Every structure is written in structure tokens, then in C-alpha cells.
Amino acid sequence: MRALLIAFTFLTRIPFPQPQNVTTEEFTRSQRYYPLIGLFLGGILWSTAALAGIFYPPLAVAAIVLALEIILTGGLHLDGFMDSMDGLLSARTPERMLAIMKDSRVGAHASITLAVLLILKFSLIASFDPRSYYFLVLPPMLARWAFLIAVIHFPYARKEGLGKGFHESGRWVFFVAEGMILALLVYWIYGLAGISAILSALALVTLFSWRVARLLGGLTGDIYGAIIEITEVVVLLVIVAYL
């Protein structure tokens, strides 16, 4: 329960009691609970959309769901996405890209790509009808599971950092076990649309991580956040194609 609470307090801004005296080992091991956090977030988004859909049209529901997701997560992964895009799209040397990603200032690439990402998310959620809002559980859950491929398999680019501990403590056994459970549940509830979403998430994370690792020599915590955000959009794209 302590590890689960650590994961909740890191990935969300929901006011859970803060665990005291958290060790580095406890913090990094909590990553195995990330898919469960995604399931929890997705459940909140689904129930909110279902309730809002009684009173508001799809466009308003999409705006409410998107705003709520940002509030619940505190924009944690969006921050990583923006930093990553500033660096990756700068067309500089790998060393300079990493330096740009570490800079707290927001550049043009971050602003432009953030706008594109949010517009994509908004338009895709707005494509849902009230009977399909239960699909909103999938993007946050699958993204927080599939991104662990990047954590476990690909090297870390910096000598130190928050993400380095994640990389060193990642274990394939938990990833595979969680994946088998997810696949069974997703197929049972969502059918082929769910399986297609899982396969697309796995493909996206693997290819994106491989490309970035070749470019930078490894991944970073910001890249992990970017992967989660991009994977959510890819899962939404797959789902909408089945609606």
C-alpha cells in the first residue's frame, strides 16, 4: 500500500496523505503501480464525461475531460513533453539538445507542439458519443504501462536524474505480468479495438524510444513524460477509428 500511495502522490495532484521518509528505492519501485494509477485516472475521466454528457454537448464534454486530466496530473507529463520537443526539434548536437531540455524556459517548439497535442486530444475526445465514453479509461492506463518499455529496455542519457532510478529498478517480469492481465481485461471489455490500442501503444513506445536513444545516446525523465503524452494520443486515434 505504501508503494501505491507513493505512486499516487507522484503522478497525481489528488490530495492523498503524503508518505513520509520515502527512500529512493521505494520511489523507483512504485513504478510498477503506474498502470493502476492510469486506470484510476481513466475511471475518473469516464465518469466525468458520462455525467457531463447529460447536460452538455460533445465539444463541451471534451473540453471538461481535457481540463480535468491536466488538473488531476498537474501537467506533469505535459511539462516533460514540452521540454522534450524544445530539445529534439532544435536541430542541435545531442549535448546541446540535452541542455535545452534541462532549461526551464519554454521555447517556440514547446509552445507549438503543445498546441498541436492539445488540439488533437480535444478533437479526438469530442469524436466520442455518450455510449463510448468508457473507452476513456484506455489512454491513461495503456500509456502508463507501455512507457515502461522505454524505462526498462533503453539506456538513460544522463549520469544522474530522477529517471535514472526508474531505469535501474525496472523489471521485465512486472511489465510482462501486468501486460498479460491488461490484455485479457482489455480484450474482454473492448474487443479488437482494445487489442489494437495495446499493439499501437507498444509499437509507438518502442519506435520512438529507439529513435530518440539513437539520437541522444539514451532517454531522460522528460522523454518518459513525452512518451506518455504521445501514447495517449495514439491510443485515442486507434479508438476513434473503431467508433
Side-chain angles (χ1 to χ4, degrees):
M1 281 298 295
R2 181 174 166 85
L4 178 60
L5 189 58
I6 292 170
F8 263 116
T9 55
F10 176 61
L11 290 184
T12 77
R13 293 299 176 266
I14 301 172
F16 289 103
Q18 287 282 347
Q20 300 299 312
N21 303 316
V22 177
T23 66
T24 302
E25 183 181 2
E26 284 181 315
F27 181 73
T28 54
R29 282 171 53 192
S30 69
Q31 66 181 273
R32 66 189 63 171
Y33 292 100
Y34 286 7
L36 187 59
I37 307 302
L39 174 62
F40 179 79
L41 292 172
I44 293 178
L45 298 181
W46 169 23
S47 57
T48 300
L51 180 61
I54 299 174
F55 305 100
Y56 301 105
L59 287 178
V61 173
I64 291 170
V65 168
L66 185 57
L68 179 61
E69 183 182 21
I70 295 173
I71 292 170
L72 289 174
T73 62
L76 174 66
H77 308 308
L78 283 176
D79 180 67
F81 172 81
M82 294 170 68
D83 287 340
S84 298
M85 294 304 106
D86 260 344
L88 295 175
L89 299 178
S90 65
R92 306 291 180 86
T93 64
E95 293 77 15
R96 183 57 185 153
M97 287 182 185
L98 288 170
I100 291 172
M101 289 163 60
K102 201 170 184 179
D103 192 329
S104 60
R105 291 173 294 182
V106 176
H109 292 115
S111 302
I112 294 169
T113 52
L114 175 65
V116 172
L117 180 82
L118 293 179
I119 289 171
L120 269 174
K121 272 193 174 183
F122 171 78
S123 60
L124 290 167
I125 296 171
S127 301
F128 285 48
D129 61 63
R131 294 172 299 176
S132 59
Y133 283 146
Y134 73 107
F135 275 101
L136 289 171
V137 174
L138 281 179
M141 179 176 64
L142 294 184
R144 284 160 182 77
W145 168 71
F147 101 103
L148 292 173
I149 293 175
V151 174
I152 299 169
H153 183 68
F154 293 90
Y156 196 71
R158 302 186 193 276
K159 294 181 179 180
E160 57 183 21
L162 185 63
K164 187 173 179 61
F166 288 142
H167 171 67
E168 292 175 345
S169 64
R171 297 292 183 270
W172 281 111
V173 61
F174 295 109
F175 176 79
V176 174
E178 289 173 343
M180 292 174 65
I181 295 171
L182 279 177
L184 290 173
L185 287 175
V186 165
Y187 180 70
W188 178 47
I189 299 172
Y190 300 101
L192 290 178
I195 296 300
S196 297
I198 289 178
L199 295 176
S200 299
L202 291 174
L204 180 279
V205 172
T206 302
L207 291 174
F208 184 80
S209 300
W210 172 79
R211 181 69 184 92
V212 173
R214 285 196 64 186
L215 181 64
L216 300 180
L219 308 182
T220 70
D222 287 328
I223 297 295
Y224 295 159
I227 288 172
I228 289 176
E229 288 293 340
I230 297 171
T231 304
E232 284 192 7
V233 171
V234 168
V235 171
L236 283 169
L237 283 166
V238 172
I239 291 170
V240 170
Y242 278 87
L243 297 181

